[in-house]
Amino acid sequence: MNWITFFIDKAVPVVMAILTLIIGSSLIKVFNRLLTRQVKKSKMDESLKPFLLSVFSVVMKILLIIVVIGILGIPTASFVAVLGAGSLAIGLAFQGALSNLAGGVLLLTMRPFKVGDYIEGSGYSGTVKAIQILYTELITPDNKMIYIPNGTLSNAGIVNYSVHDTRRVDFTFGVGYETDTQHVLNVLEGILNNHELVMSDPEPFIRLSAHGDSAVEYVARVWVKSEDYWTVYFDVLQEVKKSFDQEGISISYP
């Protein structure tokens, strides 16, 4: 009888643990499917969806293992302590990767920029090609690919040039002191008002801005559509040089 009692005492927890493992695994799969459907319907960033699903699955499986170990009579406190120590060791070993992971979650959640935006951050600038969990991919205007760790990018200042539909283009021109001020203002006004990509509202701002050591400085500010920024910038620079030469306006230099 003692052997039978001993066998029952040992067999029952094992059977219960096996049943719990089977049933728990099935329930986790069901919950995963339900969560996957809800996540796919949500407006969450596509790069963040598989990450959240994986985290949920791993956490549920760890909890299931702890429950099974408790049924078998193994002290769960010791197991949790070992698990915590292991997690700490792994965290210290991969703190850089974990920092990038946290940064990726932050960027995908807060959405300071999206794919296709032109941004500047961590000393780099370019068009966002992809936002991965660990790093962000930028393409520079000369077609270079830059990979920025998300931990670094999320902790640095980010300039997003694509948030608004319009941008302001600023110019500064140095002209000789002998040139008539009103003449310069009229020439600049004509150049800016005649450019088809320069917006009339707000209207261009043109003023004499400073008396330099070797030149009188004029500032010009115009508003354009974001996609027309560089076209207007280079067009105006070229037209100003051409018009100044035709009008006899000298561009001073030290």
Side-chain angles (χ1 to χ4, degrees):
M1 291 293 293
N2 291 335
W3 284 100
I4 295 176
T5 303
F6 177 80
F7 178 77
I8 292 176
D9 291 341
K10 296 298 182 181
V12 170
V14 173
V15 173
M16 291 296 296
I18 294 174
L19 290 176
T20 302
L21 183 62
I22 295 174
I23 295 173
S25 298
S26 300
L27 290 175
I28 290 175
K29 291 180 180 179
V30 173
F31 289 146
N32 276 335
R33 284 196 294 268
L34 293 175
L35 183 62
T36 301
R37 293 175 185 173
Q38 294 300 320
V39 169
K40 287 183 177 180
K41 293 178 182 179
S42 69
K43 297 180 180 180
M44 190 182 306
D45 192 278
E46 292 298 328
S47 300
L48 187 58
K49 292 179 181 180
F51 170 73
L52 292 179
L53 293 174
S54 299
V55 170
F56 174 79
S57 179
V58 170
V59 171
M60 294 300 293
K61 289 177 181 178
I62 291 176
L63 293 177
L64 177 60
I65 292 174
I66 293 175
V67 172
V68 171
I69 289 176
I71 293 175
L72 292 174
I74 302 174
T76 55
S78 300
F79 176 78
V80 172
V82 172
L83 183 62
S87 300
L88 178 61
I90 294 174
L92 292 175
F94 295 96
Q95 56 182 340
L98 292 176
S99 173
N100 293 333
L101 179 65
V105 174
L106 181 63
L107 293 176
L108 291 170
T109 303
M110 302 303 295
R111 302 294 296 277
F113 55 83
K114 63 182 184 298
V115 174
D117 286 353
Y118 189 89
I119 68 169
E120 180 180 342
S122 299
Y124 301 97
S125 60
T127 303
V128 179
K129 180 183 179 183
I131 308 172
Q132 307 292 349
I133 289 298
L134 297 180
Y135 56 86
T136 295
E137 301 176 9
L138 297 184
I139 299 179
T140 63
D142 56 349
N143 209 30
K144 295 177 182 176
M145 180 69 74
I146 300 176
Y147 300 89
I148 306 178
N150 285 335
T152 303
L153 188 58
S154 62
N155 290 322
I158 300 173
V159 180
N160 191 336
Y161 294 98
S162 303
V163 173
H164 301 293
D165 294 333
T166 59
R167 287 182 62 186
R168 195 181 74 184
V169 190
D170 295 349
F171 301 94
T172 300
F173 303 103
V175 175
Y177 272 93
E178 69 280 1
T179 306
D180 180 68
T181 298
Q182 191 59 50
H183 185 201
V184 176
L185 294 175
N186 291 339
V187 172
L188 291 176
E189 183 178 1
I191 293 172
L192 300 179
N193 288 336
N194 290 330
H195 198 294
E196 59 181 6
L197 298 180
V198 172
M199 300 175 63
S200 58
D201 186 20
E203 62 182 11
F205 176 89
I206 309 168
R207 291 291 187 276
L208 188 156
S209 62
H211 296 157
D213 293 336
S214 58
V216 178
E217 295 183 358
Y218 296 83
V219 63
R221 300 168 183 168
V222 297
W223 286 90
V224 300
K225 292 183 178 179
S226 296
E227 61 268 22
D228 297 331
Y229 181 92
W230 290 112
T231 300
V232 172
Y233 179 82
F234 291 117
D235 283 355
V236 170
L237 287 182
Q238 179 175 320
E239 188 60 32
V240 165
K241 178 62 171 67
K242 178 181 177 181
S243 297
F244 278 14
D245 289 344
Q246 292 175 348
E247 297 294 328
I249 300 175
S250 62
I251 299 178
S252 289
Y253 54 89

